Amino acid sequence: MCGIIGYIGKDNTVEVLLNGLYALEYRGYDSSGVAINIDNKISVIRSVGRVSKLEEEIKKLNIKDSIYGIAHTRWATNGEANINNAHPHKVGKVTLVHNGIIENANVLKRNLIKEGYQFNSDTDSEVIAAFLDYSLRDNSILDSIELLKRKLVGSYALGIIIDGSDELYALRKDSPLLIGIGNKGNFLASDITAIIKYTSDYILLDVGDVAILKNDSYEVYKENKKINKEILKSTSSNISNDKNGYSHHMLKEIMDEPQVISNLLDRYSNSDSWKELDLSEYKSIDIVACGSAMYAGLVGQVLLEEYAEIKTNVYAASEYRYKKKIYNDKTLVILISQSGETADTIAAMREVKKLGIDTLAIVNNSNSTIAREVDRKILTEAGVEIAVATTKAYVLQVCVLSLISYVTSYKKGLLKDKISYNDFYKLPDLVDLVIKNVDNYKEVISILSKSESCFFIGRGIDYAICMEGSLKLKEVSYIHSEAYQAGELKHGTISLIEKDIPVVAVITDKNLKEKTLSNLGEVESRGAKGIVITTEGLDDNDEHLKIVIKSTNRFLDSILVVCVLQLIAYYVALDRGCDIDKPRNLAKSVTVE
Ligand code: G6P
């Protein structure tokens, strides 16, 4: 959802900004641009498409180095992805980059037009620049920024340059922004990955903070008063942008899964640490999230109800905010988010907190808004995830929910199956085996990559897995794919079944195996190509093309199937020549509602 970076200092500014943009490209990649100060004049260079295009443009210009600059990579919200809508926007004395959405931009724009301003883009961001320029006519810079804060409705992280002032300005509301403190200069950035090459010291800006950056100093103000903020240190091991020799981040991140699962299990190997996972005090749970994180919640719902006997519902955060909420005296709301910056999930969390309901976040980014504002959190610690399609972070979300269900069930004395915590330790090796066995999935990969449409069917926990498998496939390969509760397909959607359309049935639940197989039979008899992904012991149906994984227990089997589905999605997208790490129209961190 747009990435921003700014730099002021002795290093090569253009190089710092471009490196930052490459690291932030996962946040959006429709267009990009830089604004730099050359000979006391601000030059804006913008380009449609990837950051590499911008770099080519900049090289052609053979520009002198600059002492400071700001840059932006865009995921279009207001206005299509064209050169006029690309950031930075310059109006009068103000040049800025913006991440977020200004809800009252049209009203502000109408008033500014009356004051003589003309607009060259369809963006709300240009309106911010114009308003600030207008305020600067009668006010100091800091006062103008305060006025701006009062005027804007919506979300923003802003990096600003003002003609005649050799400083960078940064401020935020809801969209993330930090400042980096380096030996050779200072930075502003949407996240630490953008600047880790140069510094690991940073300050998180809170809503209302305004930072002023000079090349050898910085100041942070709250309501025009200077304040001190804690300098944090990032551990670079967690945020490497390296593909480790793999052709794509997505593949590298799938390969990381055995290790990150193992790290998670180690964190909870001591039963004293189980306090964090024990939810036995709650009578009902609402899981609220978006995208894959919501699908992780669906797996959690089945396990929490089955093992911990806690009534659990799962909601898309964008819906949850506006629905009537019915809580009992012991309701917990679990927010799940890789980035911790997803606008709808943040908004849902804030609303729930206002109502006095307990919140728990399962979150990957420990510095994120959700991690900082939630009542209690469990960090997934998957490390940075660069590919837009989540893999390892999703797997860890499911692992955490599995552990919560296991521990809560154990604490409530409900655990009937003979499963010990040590059994969870089988998981890293089994995931590794799933990865090594990729040759066994080749035939399925080949069938799917030749199709334009397919279905995934399953019941219970297998349906939850299908939702993620189907999403993964469609987001990276652009094949139309739908996940259905196996029994529901015949109530309408079966009319879409044509000859040779692949239907993948996921079967890990022995109680539901026969039912799902008969649903698969219904579509096969109408010409579909049935494919079964199942576990050892449930694979006694010879008539289907099958992928069989080693069976463990109900807490783990779903994770293993998901790894298979992630690999299938990856290789299908590879076969089809798709842009795997940056699929069209998507962004990894969705910071608008
Ligand atoms: C985007 C990403 C998805 C992700 C979803 C929720 O749509 O492309 O991969 O699942 O946002 O993101 P979060 O950071 O809250 O997990």
Side-chain angles (χ1 to χ4, degrees), residues 1 289-295 336-343 345 362 370 385 387-391 393-394 397 468 471-472 475 586-590:
M1 285 302 102
C290 299
S292 293
M294 178 175 66
Y295 295 154
I336 308 178
S337 177
Q338 185 283 125
S339 63
E341 298 294 351
T342 301
T345 315
I362 298 172
I370 291 179
E385 204 181 51
V388 167
T390 180
T391 51
Y394 165 89
Q397 289 161 357
E468 176 59 9
L471 177 68
K472 209 65 0 190
E475 67 184 330
L586 298 182
K588 188 156 188 71
S589 178
V590 181

PDB file of all heavy atoms in Angstrom, residues 1 289-295 336-343 345 362 370 385 387-391 393-394 397 468 471-472 475 586-590, ligand 1:
ATOM      1  N   MET A   1       0.832  -1.209   0.000  1.00  0.00           N
ATOM      2  CA  MET A   1       0.000   0.000   0.000  1.00  0.00           C
ATOM      3  C   MET A   1       0.849   1.235   0.000  1.00  0.00           C
ATOM      4  O   MET A   1       0.704   2.073   0.866  1.00  0.00           O
ATOM      5  CB  MET A   1      -0.832   0.047   1.281  1.00  0.00           C
ATOM      6  CG  MET A   1      -1.980  -0.856   1.374  1.00  0.00           C
ATOM      7  SD  MET A   1      -3.218  -0.733   0.157  1.00  0.00           S
ATOM      8  CE  MET A   1      -2.870  -2.077  -0.875  1.00  0.00           C
ATOM      9  N   ALA A 289      -9.581 -11.044  10.900  1.00  0.00           N
ATOM     10  CA  ALA A 289      -8.362 -10.895  10.086  1.00  0.00           C
ATOM     11  C   ALA A 289      -8.755 -10.697   8.628  1.00  0.00           C
ATOM     12  O   ALA A 289      -9.940 -10.641   8.298  1.00  0.00           O
ATOM     13  CB  ALA A 289      -7.487 -12.146  10.241  1.00  0.00           C
ATOM     14  N   CYS A 290      -7.750 -10.582   7.766  1.00  0.00           N
ATOM     15  CA  CYS A 290      -7.999 -10.412   6.322  1.00  0.00           C
ATOM     16  C   CYS A 290      -7.175 -11.440   5.548  1.00  0.00           C
ATOM     17  O   CYS A 290      -6.091 -11.830   5.984  1.00  0.00           O
ATOM     18  CB  CYS A 290      -7.539  -9.036   5.847  1.00  0.00           C
ATOM     19  SG  CYS A 290      -8.376  -7.682   6.645  1.00  0.00           S
ATOM     20  N   GLY A 291      -7.657 -11.793   4.372  1.00  0.00           N
ATOM     21  CA  GLY A 291      -6.897 -12.627   3.446  1.00  0.00           C
ATOM     22  C   GLY A 291      -6.480 -13.950   4.058  1.00  0.00           C
ATOM     23  O   GLY A 291      -7.248 -14.619   4.753  1.00  0.00           O
ATOM     24  N   SER A 292      -5.233 -14.305   3.819  1.00  0.00           N
ATOM     25  CA  SER A 292      -4.735 -15.598   4.312  1.00  0.00           C
ATOM     26  C   SER A 292      -4.809 -15.683   5.835  1.00  0.00           C
ATOM     27  O   SER A 292      -5.032 -16.768   6.390  1.00  0.00           O
ATOM     28  CB  SER A 292      -3.281 -15.793   3.883  1.00  0.00           C
ATOM     29  OG  SER A 292      -3.213 -15.933   2.496  1.00  0.00           O
ATOM     30  N   ALA A 293      -4.617 -14.555   6.489  1.00  0.00           N
ATOM     31  CA  ALA A 293      -4.661 -14.573   7.954  1.00  0.00           C
ATOM     32  C   ALA A 293      -6.050 -15.014   8.424  1.00  0.00           C
ATOM     33  O   ALA A 293      -6.194 -15.738   9.419  1.00  0.00           O
ATOM     34  CB  ALA A 293      -4.316 -13.186   8.495  1.00  0.00           C
ATOM     35  N   MET A 294      -7.093 -14.593   7.674  1.00  0.00           N
ATOM     36  CA  MET A 294      -8.453 -15.019   8.023  1.00  0.00           C
ATOM     37  C   MET A 294      -8.601 -16.534   7.776  1.00  0.00           C
ATOM     38  O   MET A 294      -9.224 -17.248   8.559  1.00  0.00           O
ATOM     39  CB  MET A 294      -9.467 -14.245   7.186  1.00  0.00           C
ATOM     40  CG  MET A 294     -10.886 -14.666   7.450  1.00  0.00           C
ATOM     41  SD  MET A 294     -12.066 -13.648   6.568  1.00  0.00           S
ATOM     42  CE  MET A 294     -11.740 -14.037   4.872  1.00  0.00           C
ATOM     43  N   TYR A 295      -7.964 -17.017   6.699  1.00  0.00           N
ATOM     44  CA  TYR A 295      -8.057 -18.452   6.417  1.00  0.00           C
ATOM     45  C   TYR A 295      -7.301 -19.270   7.460  1.00  0.00           C
ATOM     46  O   TYR A 295      -7.688 -20.391   7.777  1.00  0.00           O
ATOM     47  CB  TYR A 295      -7.561 -18.753   5.002  1.00  0.00           C
ATOM     48  CG  TYR A 295      -8.439 -18.130   3.932  1.00  0.00           C
ATOM     49  CD1 TYR A 295      -7.942 -17.802   2.685  1.00  0.00           C
ATOM     50  CD2 TYR A 295      -9.792 -17.872   4.184  1.00  0.00           C
ATOM     51  CE1 TYR A 295      -8.751 -17.230   1.714  1.00  0.00           C
ATOM     52  CE2 TYR A 295     -10.602 -17.292   3.225  1.00  0.00           C
ATOM     53  CZ  TYR A 295     -10.085 -16.969   1.994  1.00  0.00           C
ATOM     54  OH  TYR A 295     -10.884 -16.403   1.040  1.00  0.00           O
ATOM     55  N   ILE A 336      -5.452 -11.570  13.728  1.00  0.00           N
ATOM     56  CA  ILE A 336      -4.304 -12.249  13.108  1.00  0.00           C
ATOM     57  C   ILE A 336      -3.794 -11.378  11.969  1.00  0.00           C
ATOM     58  O   ILE A 336      -4.572 -10.933  11.126  1.00  0.00           O
ATOM     59  CB  ILE A 336      -4.688 -13.638  12.560  1.00  0.00           C
ATOM     60  CG1 ILE A 336      -5.398 -14.477  13.637  1.00  0.00           C
ATOM     61  CG2 ILE A 336      -3.451 -14.386  12.065  1.00  0.00           C
ATOM     62  CD1 ILE A 336      -5.860 -15.846  13.157  1.00  0.00           C
ATOM     63  N   SER A 337      -2.497 -11.139  11.952  1.00  0.00           N
ATOM     64  CA  SER A 337      -1.948 -10.310  10.885  1.00  0.00           C
ATOM     65  C   SER A 337      -0.443 -10.523  10.759  1.00  0.00           C
ATOM     66  O   SER A 337       0.271 -10.513  11.761  1.00  0.00           O
ATOM     67  CB  SER A 337      -2.232  -8.834  11.179  1.00  0.00           C
ATOM     68  OG  SER A 337      -1.647  -8.024  10.197  1.00  0.00           O
ATOM     69  N   GLN A 338       0.001 -10.755   9.567  1.00  0.00           N
ATOM     70  CA  GLN A 338       1.448 -10.846   9.325  1.00  0.00           C
ATOM     71  C   GLN A 338       2.084  -9.483   9.553  1.00  0.00           C
ATOM     72  O   GLN A 338       2.983  -9.321  10.351  1.00  0.00           O
ATOM     73  CB  GLN A 338       1.685 -11.341   7.894  1.00  0.00           C
ATOM     74  CG  GLN A 338       3.132 -11.614   7.523  1.00  0.00           C
ATOM     75  CD  GLN A 338       3.948 -10.374   7.236  1.00  0.00           C
ATOM     76  OE1 GLN A 338       5.011 -10.166   7.852  1.00  0.00           O
ATOM     77  NE2 GLN A 338       3.501  -9.509   6.351  1.00  0.00           N
ATOM     78  N   SER A 339       1.570  -8.486   8.831  1.00  0.00           N
ATOM     79  CA  SER A 339       2.199  -7.156   8.853  1.00  0.00           C
ATOM     80  C   SER A 339       1.897  -6.381  10.133  1.00  0.00           C
ATOM     81  O   SER A 339       2.680  -5.553  10.559  1.00  0.00           O
ATOM     82  CB  SER A 339       1.690  -6.329   7.670  1.00  0.00           C
ATOM     83  OG  SER A 339       0.290  -6.129   7.805  1.00  0.00           O
ATOM     84  N   GLY A 340       0.735  -6.644  10.705  1.00  0.00           N
ATOM     85  CA  GLY A 340       0.290  -5.845  11.848  1.00  0.00           C
ATOM     86  C   GLY A 340      -0.117  -4.444  11.439  1.00  0.00           C
ATOM     87  O   GLY A 340      -0.334  -3.567  12.274  1.00  0.00           O
ATOM     88  N   GLU A 341      -0.231  -4.208  10.128  1.00  0.00           N
ATOM     89  CA  GLU A 341      -0.559  -2.867   9.628  1.00  0.00           C
ATOM     90  C   GLU A 341      -1.809  -2.879   8.746  1.00  0.00           C
ATOM     91  O   GLU A 341      -2.102  -1.867   8.113  1.00  0.00           O
ATOM     92  CB  GLU A 341       0.612  -2.279   8.838  1.00  0.00           C
ATOM     93  CG  GLU A 341       1.888  -2.069   9.628  1.00  0.00           C
ATOM     94  CD  GLU A 341       1.751  -1.005  10.728  1.00  0.00           C
ATOM     95  OE1 GLU A 341       0.720  -0.312  10.780  1.00  0.00           O
ATOM     96  OE2 GLU A 341       2.679  -0.907  11.549  1.00  0.00           O
ATOM     97  N   THR A 342      -2.497  -3.975   8.647  1.00  0.00           N
ATOM     98  CA  THR A 342      -3.669  -4.036   7.770  1.00  0.00           C
ATOM     99  C   THR A 342      -4.771  -3.132   8.333  1.00  0.00           C
ATOM    100  O   THR A 342      -5.209  -3.310   9.481  1.00  0.00           O
ATOM    101  CB  THR A 342      -4.138  -5.500   7.639  1.00  0.00           C
ATOM    102  OG1 THR A 342      -3.047  -6.243   7.108  1.00  0.00           O
ATOM    103  CG2 THR A 342      -5.334  -5.627   6.718  1.00  0.00           C
ATOM    104  N   ALA A 343      -5.189  -2.163   7.521  1.00  0.00           N
ATOM    105  CA  ALA A 343      -6.056  -1.093   8.034  1.00  0.00           C
ATOM    106  C   ALA A 343      -7.338  -1.638   8.667  1.00  0.00           C
ATOM    107  O   ALA A 343      -7.743  -1.194   9.750  1.00  0.00           O
ATOM    108  CB  ALA A 343      -6.396  -0.132   6.897  1.00  0.00           C
ATOM    109  N   THR A 345      -7.962  -4.559   9.949  1.00  0.00           N
ATOM    110  CA  THR A 345      -7.716  -5.320  11.184  1.00  0.00           C
ATOM    111  C   THR A 345      -7.395  -4.351  12.328  1.00  0.00           C
ATOM    112  O   THR A 345      -7.860  -4.536  13.462  1.00  0.00           O
ATOM    113  CB  THR A 345      -6.567  -6.338  10.962  1.00  0.00           C
ATOM    114  OG1 THR A 345      -6.787  -7.003   9.714  1.00  0.00           O
ATOM    115  CG2 THR A 345      -6.510  -7.364  12.063  1.00  0.00           C
ATOM    116  N   ILE A 362      -2.100 -12.350  16.974  1.00  0.00           N
ATOM    117  CA  ILE A 362      -1.075 -13.273  16.469  1.00  0.00           C
ATOM    118  C   ILE A 362      -0.451 -12.509  15.309  1.00  0.00           C
ATOM    119  O   ILE A 362      -1.080 -12.308  14.272  1.00  0.00           O
ATOM    120  CB  ILE A 362      -1.702 -14.604  16.012  1.00  0.00           C
ATOM    121  CG1 ILE A 362      -2.385 -15.290  17.198  1.00  0.00           C
ATOM    122  CG2 ILE A 362      -0.649 -15.520  15.390  1.00  0.00           C
ATOM    123  CD1 ILE A 362      -3.194 -16.511  16.843  1.00  0.00           C
ATOM    124  N   ILE A 370      -0.529  -3.043  15.317  1.00  0.00           N
ATOM    125  CA  ILE A 370      -1.303  -4.050  16.062  1.00  0.00           C
ATOM    126  C   ILE A 370      -0.474  -4.572  17.234  1.00  0.00           C
ATOM    127  O   ILE A 370      -0.962  -4.654  18.361  1.00  0.00           O
ATOM    128  CB  ILE A 370      -1.766  -5.190  15.129  1.00  0.00           C
ATOM    129  CG1 ILE A 370      -2.828  -4.662  14.162  1.00  0.00           C
ATOM    130  CG2 ILE A 370      -2.302  -6.381  15.934  1.00  0.00           C
ATOM    131  CD1 ILE A 370      -3.363  -5.657  13.167  1.00  0.00           C
ATOM    132  N   GLU A 385       8.887 -11.321   5.484  1.00  0.00           N
ATOM    133  CA  GLU A 385       8.327 -12.049   4.336  1.00  0.00           C
ATOM    134  C   GLU A 385       8.224 -11.042   3.196  1.00  0.00           C
ATOM    135  O   GLU A 385       7.569 -10.011   3.340  1.00  0.00           O
ATOM    136  CB  GLU A 385       6.956 -12.600   4.722  1.00  0.00           C
ATOM    137  CG  GLU A 385       6.531 -13.782   3.912  1.00  0.00           C
ATOM    138  CD  GLU A 385       5.156 -14.280   4.318  1.00  0.00           C
ATOM    139  OE1 GLU A 385       4.209 -13.467   4.376  1.00  0.00           O
ATOM    140  OE2 GLU A 385       5.014 -15.474   4.563  1.00  0.00           O
ATOM    141  N   ALA A 387       7.799 -11.955  -0.443  1.00  0.00           N
ATOM    142  CA  ALA A 387       6.832 -12.310  -1.499  1.00  0.00           C
ATOM    143  C   ALA A 387       5.461 -11.802  -1.075  1.00  0.00           C
ATOM    144  O   ALA A 387       5.085 -11.914   0.093  1.00  0.00           O
ATOM    145  CB  ALA A 387       6.801 -13.813  -1.689  1.00  0.00           C
ATOM    146  N   VAL A 388       4.741 -11.255  -2.026  1.00  0.00           N
ATOM    147  CA  VAL A 388       3.427 -10.700  -1.677  1.00  0.00           C
ATOM    148  C   VAL A 388       2.493 -11.796  -1.159  1.00  0.00           C
ATOM    149  O   VAL A 388       1.776 -11.611  -0.185  1.00  0.00           O
ATOM    150  CB  VAL A 388       2.838  -9.943  -2.898  1.00  0.00           C
ATOM    151  CG1 VAL A 388       1.369  -9.642  -2.690  1.00  0.00           C
ATOM    152  CG2 VAL A 388       3.613  -8.647  -3.102  1.00  0.00           C
ATOM    153  N   ALA A 389       2.543 -12.960  -1.796  1.00  0.00           N
ATOM    154  CA  ALA A 389       1.701 -14.071  -1.325  1.00  0.00           C
ATOM    155  C   ALA A 389       2.344 -14.670  -0.078  1.00  0.00           C
ATOM    156  O   ALA A 389       3.475 -15.152  -0.122  1.00  0.00           O
ATOM    157  CB  ALA A 389       1.568 -15.117  -2.414  1.00  0.00           C
ATOM    158  N   THR A 390       1.620 -14.642   1.016  1.00  0.00           N
ATOM    159  CA  THR A 390       2.210 -15.136   2.269  1.00  0.00           C
ATOM    160  C   THR A 390       2.317 -16.662   2.260  1.00  0.00           C
ATOM    161  O   THR A 390       1.449 -17.358   1.743  1.00  0.00           O
ATOM    162  CB  THR A 390       1.372 -14.673   3.480  1.00  0.00           C
ATOM    163  OG1 THR A 390       1.980 -15.178   4.667  1.00  0.00           O
ATOM    164  CG2 THR A 390      -0.063 -15.140   3.401  1.00  0.00           C
ATOM    165  N   THR A 391       3.387 -17.165   2.823  1.00  0.00           N
ATOM    166  CA  THR A 391       3.541 -18.624   2.964  1.00  0.00           C
ATOM    167  C   THR A 391       3.963 -18.956   4.396  1.00  0.00           C
ATOM    168  O   THR A 391       3.165 -19.434   5.191  1.00  0.00           O
ATOM    169  CB  THR A 391       4.581 -19.185   1.960  1.00  0.00           C
ATOM    170  OG1 THR A 391       5.789 -18.408   2.060  1.00  0.00           O
ATOM    171  CG2 THR A 391       4.029 -19.171   0.552  1.00  0.00           C
ATOM    172  N   ALA A 393       4.539 -17.070   6.964  1.00  0.00           N
ATOM    173  CA  ALA A 393       3.829 -16.369   8.042  1.00  0.00           C
ATOM    174  C   ALA A 393       2.468 -17.028   8.276  1.00  0.00           C
ATOM    175  O   ALA A 393       2.042 -17.215   9.418  1.00  0.00           O
ATOM    176  CB  ALA A 393       3.655 -14.889   7.704  1.00  0.00           C
ATOM    177  N   TYR A 394       1.790 -17.418   7.173  1.00  0.00           N
ATOM    178  CA  TYR A 394       0.497 -18.123   7.307  1.00  0.00           C
ATOM    179  C   TYR A 394       0.701 -19.427   8.085  1.00  0.00           C
ATOM    180  O   TYR A 394      -0.059 -19.752   8.994  1.00  0.00           O
ATOM    181  CB  TYR A 394      -0.097 -18.400   5.913  1.00  0.00           C
ATOM    182  CG  TYR A 394      -1.211 -19.414   5.942  1.00  0.00           C
ATOM    183  CD1 TYR A 394      -2.532 -19.018   6.151  1.00  0.00           C
ATOM    184  CD2 TYR A 394      -0.951 -20.779   5.791  1.00  0.00           C
ATOM    185  CE1 TYR A 394      -3.557 -19.959   6.209  1.00  0.00           C
ATOM    186  CE2 TYR A 394      -1.960 -21.718   5.851  1.00  0.00           C
ATOM    187  CZ  TYR A 394      -3.268 -21.311   6.053  1.00  0.00           C
ATOM    188  OH  TYR A 394      -4.273 -22.246   6.120  1.00  0.00           O
ATOM    189  N   GLN A 397       1.011 -18.812  11.635  1.00  0.00           N
ATOM    190  CA  GLN A 397      -0.279 -18.425  12.246  1.00  0.00           C
ATOM    191  C   GLN A 397      -1.072 -19.689  12.592  1.00  0.00           C
ATOM    192  O   GLN A 397      -1.631 -19.813  13.690  1.00  0.00           O
ATOM    193  CB  GLN A 397      -1.086 -17.548  11.275  1.00  0.00           C
ATOM    194  CG  GLN A 397      -0.502 -16.148  11.102  1.00  0.00           C
ATOM    195  CD  GLN A 397      -0.980 -15.445   9.838  1.00  0.00           C
ATOM    196  OE1 GLN A 397      -1.714 -16.014   9.031  1.00  0.00           O
ATOM    197  NE2 GLN A 397      -0.568 -14.207   9.653  1.00  0.00           N
ATOM    198  N   GLU A 468      -7.251 -21.552   1.680  1.00  0.00           N
ATOM    199  CA  GLU A 468      -5.908 -20.989   1.513  1.00  0.00           C
ATOM    200  C   GLU A 468      -5.235 -21.515   0.242  1.00  0.00           C
ATOM    201  O   GLU A 468      -4.610 -20.755  -0.501  1.00  0.00           O
ATOM    202  CB  GLU A 468      -5.053 -21.303   2.755  1.00  0.00           C
ATOM    203  CG  GLU A 468      -3.607 -20.866   2.674  1.00  0.00           C
ATOM    204  CD  GLU A 468      -3.407 -19.357   2.444  1.00  0.00           C
ATOM    205  OE1 GLU A 468      -4.385 -18.601   2.508  1.00  0.00           O
ATOM    206  OE2 GLU A 468      -2.261 -18.961   2.164  1.00  0.00           O
ATOM    207  N   LEU A 471      -6.727 -19.700  -2.709  1.00  0.00           N
ATOM    208  CA  LEU A 471      -6.269 -18.297  -2.761  1.00  0.00           C
ATOM    209  C   LEU A 471      -4.823 -18.228  -3.260  1.00  0.00           C
ATOM    210  O   LEU A 471      -4.477 -17.411  -4.116  1.00  0.00           O
ATOM    211  CB  LEU A 471      -6.385 -17.653  -1.381  1.00  0.00           C
ATOM    212  CG  LEU A 471      -5.882 -16.214  -1.293  1.00  0.00           C
ATOM    213  CD1 LEU A 471      -6.779 -15.273  -2.086  1.00  0.00           C
ATOM    214  CD2 LEU A 471      -5.806 -15.730   0.153  1.00  0.00           C
ATOM    215  N   LYS A 472      -3.991 -19.128  -2.715  1.00  0.00           N
ATOM    216  CA  LYS A 472      -2.573 -19.105  -3.097  1.00  0.00           C
ATOM    217  C   LYS A 472      -2.443 -19.296  -4.600  1.00  0.00           C
ATOM    218  O   LYS A 472      -1.712 -18.587  -5.271  1.00  0.00           O
ATOM    219  CB  LYS A 472      -1.855 -20.233  -2.338  1.00  0.00           C
ATOM    220  CG  LYS A 472      -0.439 -20.075  -2.003  1.00  0.00           C
ATOM    221  CD  LYS A 472      -0.062 -18.987  -1.032  1.00  0.00           C
ATOM    222  CE  LYS A 472      -1.095 -18.117  -0.451  1.00  0.00           C
ATOM    223  NZ  LYS A 472      -0.823 -16.985   0.275  1.00  0.00           N
ATOM    224  N   GLU A 475      -3.833 -16.201  -6.620  1.00  0.00           N
ATOM    225  CA  GLU A 475      -3.105 -14.932  -6.531  1.00  0.00           C
ATOM    226  C   GLU A 475      -1.773 -14.953  -7.278  1.00  0.00           C
ATOM    227  O   GLU A 475      -1.366 -13.948  -7.824  1.00  0.00           O
ATOM    228  CB  GLU A 475      -2.970 -14.414  -5.096  1.00  0.00           C
ATOM    229  CG  GLU A 475      -2.120 -15.201  -4.156  1.00  0.00           C
ATOM    230  CD  GLU A 475      -2.127 -14.640  -2.727  1.00  0.00           C
ATOM    231  OE1 GLU A 475      -2.292 -13.422  -2.532  1.00  0.00           O
ATOM    232  OE2 GLU A 475      -1.952 -15.450  -1.797  1.00  0.00           O
ATOM    233  N   LEU A 586      -1.737  -6.598  -6.671  1.00  0.00           N
ATOM    234  CA  LEU A 586      -1.696  -6.880  -5.228  1.00  0.00           C
ATOM    235  C   LEU A 586      -0.661  -6.018  -4.504  1.00  0.00           C
ATOM    236  O   LEU A 586       0.202  -5.419  -5.122  1.00  0.00           O
ATOM    237  CB  LEU A 586      -1.339  -8.344  -4.975  1.00  0.00           C
ATOM    238  CG  LEU A 586      -2.290  -9.392  -5.511  1.00  0.00           C
ATOM    239  CD1 LEU A 586      -1.810 -10.773  -5.117  1.00  0.00           C
ATOM    240  CD2 LEU A 586      -3.681  -9.165  -4.956  1.00  0.00           C
ATOM    241  N   ALA A 587      -0.796  -5.977  -3.205  1.00  0.00           N
ATOM    242  CA  ALA A 587       0.244  -5.395  -2.354  1.00  0.00           C
ATOM    243  C   ALA A 587       0.280  -6.223  -1.086  1.00  0.00           C
ATOM    244  O   ALA A 587      -0.730  -6.814  -0.698  1.00  0.00           O
ATOM    245  CB  ALA A 587      -0.078  -3.958  -2.012  1.00  0.00           C
ATOM    246  N   LYS A 588       1.426  -6.298  -0.487  1.00  0.00           N
ATOM    247  CA  LYS A 588       1.534  -7.177   0.675  1.00  0.00           C
ATOM    248  C   LYS A 588       0.868  -6.600   1.910  1.00  0.00           C
ATOM    249  O   LYS A 588       0.268  -7.301   2.691  1.00  0.00           O
ATOM    250  CB  LYS A 588       3.008  -7.450   0.973  1.00  0.00           C
ATOM    251  CG  LYS A 588       3.169  -8.498   2.039  1.00  0.00           C
ATOM    252  CD  LYS A 588       4.473  -9.191   1.956  1.00  0.00           C
ATOM    253  CE  LYS A 588       4.517 -10.363   2.908  1.00  0.00           C
ATOM    254  NZ  LYS A 588       3.666 -11.471   2.479  1.00  0.00           N
ATOM    255  N   SER A 589       1.035  -5.308   2.065  1.00  0.00           N
ATOM    256  CA  SER A 589       0.530  -4.713   3.293  1.00  0.00           C
ATOM    257  C   SER A 589      -0.590  -3.746   2.906  1.00  0.00           C
ATOM    258  O   SER A 589      -0.342  -2.742   2.253  1.00  0.00           O
ATOM    259  CB  SER A 589       1.691  -3.982   3.961  1.00  0.00           C
ATOM    260  OG  SER A 589       1.258  -3.366   5.120  1.00  0.00           O
ATOM    261  N   VAL A 590      -1.815  -4.091   3.276  1.00  0.00           N
ATOM    262  CA  VAL A 590      -2.968  -3.327   2.787  1.00  0.00           C
ATOM    263  C   VAL A 590      -3.375  -2.304   3.847  1.00  0.00           C
ATOM    264  O   VAL A 590      -4.173  -2.586   4.740  1.00  0.00           O
ATOM    265  CB  VAL A 590      -4.131  -4.264   2.400  1.00  0.00           C
ATOM    266  CG1 VAL A 590      -5.306  -3.470   1.868  1.00  0.00           C
ATOM    267  CG2 VAL A 590      -3.659  -5.241   1.343  1.00  0.00           C
TER     268      VAL A 590
HETATM  269  C1  G6P B   1      -2.837  -8.792   1.708  1.00  0.00           C
HETATM  270  C2  G6P B   1      -1.788  -9.835   1.386  1.00  0.00           C
HETATM  271  C3  G6P B   1      -2.216 -11.199   1.928  1.00  0.00           C
HETATM  272  C4  G6P B   1      -2.496 -11.108   3.427  1.00  0.00           C
HETATM  273  C5  G6P B   1      -3.520 -10.012   3.733  1.00  0.00           C
HETATM  274  C6  G6P B   1      -3.605  -9.728   5.222  1.00  0.00           C
HETATM  275  O1  G6P B   1      -3.988  -9.028   0.983  1.00  0.00           O
HETATM  276  O2  G6P B   1      -1.578  -9.912  -0.007  1.00  0.00           O
HETATM  277  O3  G6P B   1      -1.190 -12.152   1.707  1.00  0.00           O
HETATM  278  O4  G6P B   1      -2.968 -12.334   3.884  1.00  0.00           O
HETATM  279  O5  G6P B   1      -3.141  -8.783   3.107  1.00  0.00           O
HETATM  280  O6  G6P B   1      -2.379  -9.173   5.630  1.00  0.00           O
HETATM  281  P1  G6P B   1      -1.819  -9.230   7.100  1.00  0.00           P
HETATM  282  O7  G6P B   1      -0.525  -8.495   7.034  1.00  0.00           O
HETATM  283  O8  G6P B   1      -2.828  -8.542   7.974  1.00  0.00           O
HETATM  284  O9  G6P B   1      -1.657 -10.665   7.468  1.00  0.00           O
END
